[in-house]
Amino acid sequence: MQIFIGIGLVVVCVFGGFMMASGRLIALWQPSEMIIILGAGFGSMVIGNSKEVLLEMKSQLKAIVSKHPNETEVYRELLTLMYQLLDEVRLKGLKALDEHIEAPSQSSFFLCYPSVEENPLVLTFITDNFRLLSMGKISPHELESLLEHEIAVMQEDMLKPAHALHRTGEAFPGFGILAAVMGIIITMQQLDGPLSGIGVHVGAALVGTFIGIFMCYCLLEPASSAMESLVQRRIAMLECVKAIILAHLRGKMPLLAVDAGRKTMEPNIKPSFVDMEEWVTNPAM
C-alpha cells in the first residue's frame, strides 16, 4: 500500500503542478520520445545483465508491490521454530532432527510455521546448517567464518538486480538527452517552416528530457532502493538464524540461543525477552 501511495503522490504533484501552471497534459504525450528512451533504457539493461539477474529483478519488483507479511509474526514463527529444533536436540541429540531437515515439507515442526516453511531461502539455510552440524564436529569459530562468507555471497547475488536497476535509472536522464537531441535535429530540418511548428518540435524534444529525469528520480531509483531494503530484510532473517546456531554451538541453552537471534532484530520489531519467552514456550498462544 505504501508504495502505491508514494507513486500516487509523485503523479499527482508532478502532473498536477504542471496543469496548475497552465500546462496541457496532451503536450507531454510524445510516443516517439517514449519509444526512444524506454527502448534504449531497457534494451541496455537486457544487454548488460544475465537472464538470471533479470528474472530475479522481476521477482523482486513483484515483491515490493505485493502486500508485505507481518514481520513480527514472521519472526515469531522463526524464533519459535528454532527453539523447538534446539530443544529437540537438547533432549534427543542432533540425529533426532534427521527426519525434519531431510524432508521439511513433511516435518511436524516446519509445517506448523508456514512463514518459514514457505520461505525457501530461510528454510534451506536452516536445514543445510543443521545437516552440517550433524555430519561432524565443527568449532563455533569455523562455523561463524563459513556462515559469514555464505551470507555475504548470497547478499551480493541478491543485490545484483537492485544495482542493475540503479545503473539503468542513472542512465535514463542521458537517454532523455539522447531523445531531446534527436528532436532538435528534427527541429533544425523545420527552420524554414512556421514558427508555431518549430515550437511544437522543440517542446516535443524537451519532453524527452523530462521523461528521462522522471523515470530516473521518480520511478527507477526509488524502486531500486525498495529492492535493496527487501534484500536487507531477507538477509536479516539469515543473520538471526546464524546467531542462534552459533549460540547453540557455544553451549547455550535453547532459550538463550534464541535470545541471541532476538538481539539481531531491528528495534521496531524486536520483542522484549519476556515476550520472546512467551512466544517460544507457548507457541499456541
Side-chain angles (χ1 to χ4, degrees):
M1 178 60 71
Q2 181 177 330
I3 194 168
F4 292 111
I5 292 174
I7 293 173
L9 283 172
V10 168
V11 171
V12 169
C13 292
V14 170
F15 294 100
F18 178 73
M19 293 176 67
M20 287 174 65
S22 302
R24 298 173 59 195
L25 286 180
I26 190 64
L28 300 178
W29 177 246
Q30 302 294 337
S32 58
E33 300 281 327
M34 293 181 183
I35 289 174
I36 292 171
I37 298 167
L38 298 180
F42 293 113
S44 67
M45 186 187 296
V46 172
I47 293 171
N49 297 281
S50 67
K51 179 181 178 181
E52 291 73 22
V53 170
L54 295 176
L55 290 174
E56 179 61 20
M57 184 185 299
K58 178 183 176 182
S59 175
Q60 291 186 16
L61 285 171
K62 182 179 179 181
I64 65 174
V65 299
S66 301
K67 182 179 179 181
H68 292 171
N70 185 321
E71 286 195 278
T72 301
E73 184 60 30
V74 170
Y75 274 98
R76 176 174 181 159
E77 291 192 13
L78 177 62
L79 296 180
T80 306
L81 170 65
M82 293 302 294
Y83 175 81
Q84 292 193 353
L85 291 174
L86 294 182
D87 200 45
E88 186 78 358
V89 172
R90 180 181 66 86
L91 295 173
K92 302 179 181 178
L94 274 170
K95 288 299 181 182
L97 293 186
D98 285 352
E99 62 178 293
H100 301 288
I101 62 177
E102 294 300 333
S105 61
Q106 302 172 13
S107 165
S108 57
F109 284 165
F110 286 97
L111 289 176
C112 292
Y113 305 102
S115 295
V116 179
E117 197 268 332
E118 295 172 4
N119 186 328
L121 181 71
V122 177
L123 180 64
T124 300
F125 190 77
I126 292 173
T127 55
D128 282 357
N129 283 292
F130 271 113
R131 190 178 290 113
L132 177 64
L133 293 180
S134 68
M135 290 175 65
K137 187 174 182 181
I138 183 171
S139 71
H141 178 72
E142 290 175 321
L143 183 60
E144 183 174 16
S145 178
L146 288 172
L147 294 185
E148 284 180 354
H149 179 69
E150 181 182 9
I151 290 175
V153 170
M154 293 170 70
Q155 183 174 17
E156 181 181 359
D157 189 60
M158 291 166 65
L159 283 172
K160 286 180 180 178
H163 293 164
L165 194 64
H166 169 70
R167 290 192 299 270
T168 302
E170 283 187 324
F172 257 86
F175 294 132
I177 294 173
L178 169 67
V181 169
M182 297 178 74
I184 294 299
I185 293 174
I186 295 173
T187 303
M188 299 301 289
Q189 298 173 351
Q190 308 293 327
L191 287 181
D192 58 348
L195 189 60
S196 60
I198 295 175
V200 169
H201 288 295
V202 171
L206 292 175
V207 167
T209 305
F210 162 75
I211 294 172
I213 295 172
F214 181 83
M215 288 292 296
C216 173
Y217 296 108
C218 296
L219 295 180
L220 298 185
E221 286 293 311
S224 172
S225 296
M227 288 165 62
E228 286 192 22
S229 178
L230 174 70
V231 170
Q232 295 300 336
R233 291 199 302 273
R234 291 175 174 176
I235 291 297
M237 294 186 70
L238 303 186
E239 292 285 357
C240 179
V241 174
K242 167 193 158 187
I244 294 172
I245 292 177
L246 289 174
H248 163 71
L249 201 56
R250 292 186 177 110
K252 301 295 183 183
M253 294 296 289
L255 186 61
L256 295 180
V258 170
D259 184 56
R262 178 189 71 90
K263 287 182 169 64
T264 69
M265 295 170 60
E266 294 184 3
N268 62 310
I269 59 173
K270 181 166 65 175
S272 67
F273 180 87
V274 174
D275 288 338
M276 181 209 68
E277 185 178 16
E278 187 70 19
W279 285 1
V280 301
T281 56
N282 298 284
M285 293 184 64

